[in-house]
Amino acid sequence: MARSRVLLCLHFAQELEKFKFIIQKLNAEVVVATDMKPAYSNDERWWNTASWANGIEVKNFPLPSRPWYYHLARFIDDYRFFQNLPQSDYYKNRMIPESYRKYKWVFPFISWLPLAWLKRLYRPHRYLQDFISEFNPDLVITSSLAFPPFHIATELALIAQSKKIPVVCMIHNWDALTTKGKMYPVPDLTFCWNDFHEKELVSYHGIPKSKIVKVGAFSLEEWFMPRKITPRDKFCEKYGLDPKKPFVTYLSSSQSIAGDELDAVEQVRDVLKDWQFVVRPHPDKLDTLSGIWGIITIPRSGEAPTDEEAFQLAYDTYIHSAALYGVNTTSMLEAMILGRPVYRISTDSPDTTDKCLHFQKLLPLLDGKGYEKIREWLGIGERKPSEVIIAVLKVSYPQLFD
């Protein structure tokens, strides 16, 4: 009996790790469609070591050009979305393309014109239509459709729906629904984390509640699984730390969220001057943060926890830290899942922290005791999120499992 065919639309192949347990339980023929390459130093290592992904074909598509009327229609959609969203000015301004900003004064007028419907005139490029026809998937899964119109997931979802192929959206991060843009098109089914995801989908994106299923943070499922810990003596020896003394870890955020973070790192280092101080740099910050006096950077290259080696290093760093500090990063969630005390660092950029919608929801947990509530906050119940997703798919699309 032939296996069902599933098309998974991601930005880059390493995002597969967030869907690993779902894909394994689907037991389907999977093709991954991407349009980006990550700037992580462990990119090649992931390709060489992700043995679980053997047999999964990854196709990287060039970004198609779109007509002016499609860009205009999507821009109007996103502009209206952010104007009605109680979001910080940083995110409201970020969605405006650089070439549009000199016309900012006219946006309030054109946003009320009935032009958003123009996007319905757009027909995705022939090479994408041919790809869908050739692969003929039984299901299309997208990581998010709430992005401005420069990723191919929207095109592939539009083609699939025109062919009556079901499109399922799986929200894999905590900020995707309030920092990117308006979801388009409306998927046939959406899996999200928790209550606030559901509220955002209904209130801001107009997704019917009947098309939403809360399953918990499936993309963080691996952090809840037990694994061996590298002995503290061995870990500390490798990175030049004294195993008999505690150390604290600063969790770096992206450049766009927290700037270069030099002041924040030095602030924590100076306050906790009697402690050993580790910085876990964001992949785009290694060169900036590695040269600060009195700190140890772990890892020593800009990597994300996508392959086994990088994941184990992040796991060990969190576990052996006496406490962890950060501005606004998913690493804070990961550390709390492992039962570690996590604290926030205040900055002079409240637009990306205190005034930011998704961060406001996390703030109550950043008092050093958030690990006590993180499982509930993430929407994790008694069953694993991937198990819930598969159970729902079996009911909604039984043909996938025949």
Side-chain angles (χ1 to χ4, degrees), residues 16-70:
L16 264 169
E17 290 296 323
K18 301 178 185 295
F19 298 82
K20 174 165 64 176
F21 302 113
I22 300 167
I23 293 171
Q24 289 173 332
K25 290 178 175 67
L26 270 175
N27 191 30
E29 179 186 348
V30 176
V31 169
V32 177
T34 70
D35 53 31
M36 292 177 63
K37 183 177 180 179
Y40 304 149
S41 66
N42 58 323
D43 176 33
E44 184 176 348
R45 191 170 68 208
W46 181 86
W47 283 103
N48 294 332
T49 60
S51 58
W52 72 269
N54 286 341
I56 294 178
E57 181 182 2
V58 177
K59 298 180 72 69
N60 189 267
F61 290 92
L63 289 175
S65 59
R66 286 91 169 192
W68 66 268
Y69 61 81
Y70 178 74

Side-chain angles (χ1 to χ4, degrees), residues 184-198:
Y184 178 75
V186 173
D188 300 290
L189 187 64
T190 299
F191 292 104
C192 66
W193 287 13
N194 49 23
D195 290 339
F196 73 73
H197 264 182
E198 181 184 59

Side-chain angles (χ1 to χ4, degrees), residues 383-398:
R383 299 178 68 185
K384 296 176 181 178
S386 60
E387 293 176 348
V388 179
I389 288 173
I390 295 300
V392 173
L393 289 177
K394 284 182 176 179
V395 172
S396 302
Y397 308 109

Side-chain angles (χ1 to χ4, degrees), residues 72-91:
L72 176 62
R74 292 298 305 276
F75 171 74
I76 290 175
D77 267 350
D78 288 343
Y79 183 80
R80 289 174 178 169
F81 170 76
F82 276 104
Q83 291 308 302
N84 294 323
L85 192 69
Q87 182 60 285
S88 70
D89 289 339
Y90 167 78
Y91 289 104

Side-chain angles (χ1 to χ4, degrees), residues 40-42 45 223 235 239 241 247-254 260-261 265 268 276-290 292 295-319 321 323-332 334-335 338:
Y40 304 149
S41 66
N42 58 323
R45 191 170 68 208
W223 291 99
F235 177 85
Y239 292 100
L241 293 161
F247 67 85
V248 296
T249 298
Y250 181 89
L251 302 172
S252 173
S253 305
S254 67
D260 60 25
E261 294 186 288
V265 170
V268 178
Q276 298 180 101
F277 191 30
V278 168
V279 171
R280 179 170 172 81
H282 189 275
D284 66 8
K285 297 275 189 69
L286 180 67
D287 293 340
T288 304
L289 298 178
S290 60
I292 301 177
I295 71 165
I296 295 173
T297 54
I298 305 175
R300 292 170 176 160
S301 59
E303 62 184 34
T306 52
D307 67 89
E308 175 60 27
E309 181 180 333
F311 190 97
Q312 184 67 50
L313 179 56
Y315 191 96
D316 290 334
T317 305
Y318 299 157
I319 285 291
S321 297
L324 301 101
Y325 297 80
V327 175
N328 183 357
T329 171
T330 301
S331 298
M332 300 163 105
E334 297 164 354
L338 299 184

